[in-house]
Amino acid sequence: MPPSGPVDLPEKPADYVDVFTWSQGVPAGARSLSTVFKGPHFSYAFGALAVRSDLDESSGGLEAGPSRAAAGHEFLVLYRLQGDDTYATPPQAPLNVDVVVGATRKRLPKPLERGTGLIVSVPVGADATLEVTDDKPYQFSVRNGGGGTPAPTSDNAPAKPGATQVRWQDGNYRGNGNYQGQRTSGPLAVTLELGTRSELANTLPGIGVAPAKQLWLRLPDARISTDDADLKLDLSRSVSLVLANGRQASTRQSSSGLLFTVPDSFTGGVLTVEPQFPATSTAKWAQKPEPKQIQLLPS
């Protein structure tokens, strides 16, 4: 006799992201939304959001097959309904659309057209950010269904007087190493870019107020990548900051870039880049890329 009880669904990876076709109304178990996320050359009207531990016929996301979230994770499912009648002037070239969860950034595998849905795997209770790069980065909180405004910059972050930015000379890193995985191994090239923006403030949009006698230091455009699309690195684990007094700054999780807490008397420090895989990754370095140090100074 066949075994009774529920079928053990296959598990999706912890960093799973996908786009699927969905032409119906608000699905059962989803929360209705009426939110427009737009920029000069894009406009999305989202009609529903669901938080699910698995995907089945009721979610609409069966193009990838019935499945369950990884241990300690859940799916955020955001629906752009077929009746979306918002409009924005089409871009001359396709816009970059990314999903950011913690320090992990992934490009959407296909466009988020009318009548499609976005599935993102996140740690239970965590958020994901949908980011569209138009004239500037625009960010949308998937879990909260809002935040369709330009990503925070040093121009609009409420900053502590006299301490608004930091500077550095060479924020680019290129390294080569060899990794060992469960099924594959070989050389791996790593690229890290700090970008050009920085924020040093007591309060930052989307973050809140820093702890007592501390400031937030955020490099919002920092990102890390490899030459293998299947191998991800953890940005926050790959970059550490040692302050001028020799103490290591605390690294905080951020929806994009790097985020540290530093003393309100911050006088600079040294970033050390040492590429690291996520803590949950089965890949390990057989030969680590060479580290690099980058001097940070207040502007």
Side-chain angles (χ1 to χ4, degrees), residues 31-38 42 44-49 76 78-79 118 127-132 138-152 206 255:
R31 172 168 62 93
S32 295
L33 296 177
S34 181
T35 303
V36 176
F37 173 41
K38 66 184 302 182
F42 74 94
Y44 302 142
F46 296 119
L49 170 71
L76 301 181
L78 185 64
Y79 299 86
L118 169 67
D127 196 6
T129 299
L130 180 65
E131 182 178 290
V132 180
Y138 289 76
Q139 295 181 328
F140 183 88
S141 166
V142 177
R143 181 180 289 275
N144 298 323
T149 57
S255 60

Side-chain angles (χ1 to χ4, degrees), residues 68-125:
R68 60 185 172 88
H73 286 68
E74 61 190 358
F75 297 118
L76 301 181
V77 190
L78 185 64
Y79 299 86
R80 184 183 182 193
L81 302 184
Q82 187 67 41
D84 181 355
D85 59 358
T86 59
Y87 175 78
T89 304
Q92 294 182 344
L95 300 177
N96 291 336
V97 183
D98 296 334
V99 172
V100 182
V101 179
T104 301
R105 176 183 293 269
K106 298 189 74 172
R107 184 64 43 86
L108 280 195
K110 62 186 77 169
L112 194 58
E113 304 285 0
R114 293 179 177 87
T116 61
L118 169 67
I119 303 173
V120 187
S121 172
V122 300
V124 172

Side-chain angles (χ1 to χ4, degrees), residues 220-237:
D221 299 326
R223 61 185 64 193
I224 193 169
S225 61
T226 73
D227 61 347
D228 186 330
D230 294 327
L231 285 172
K232 308 298 180 183
L233 296 178
D234 188 324
L235 178 62
S236 63
R237 298 184 74 223

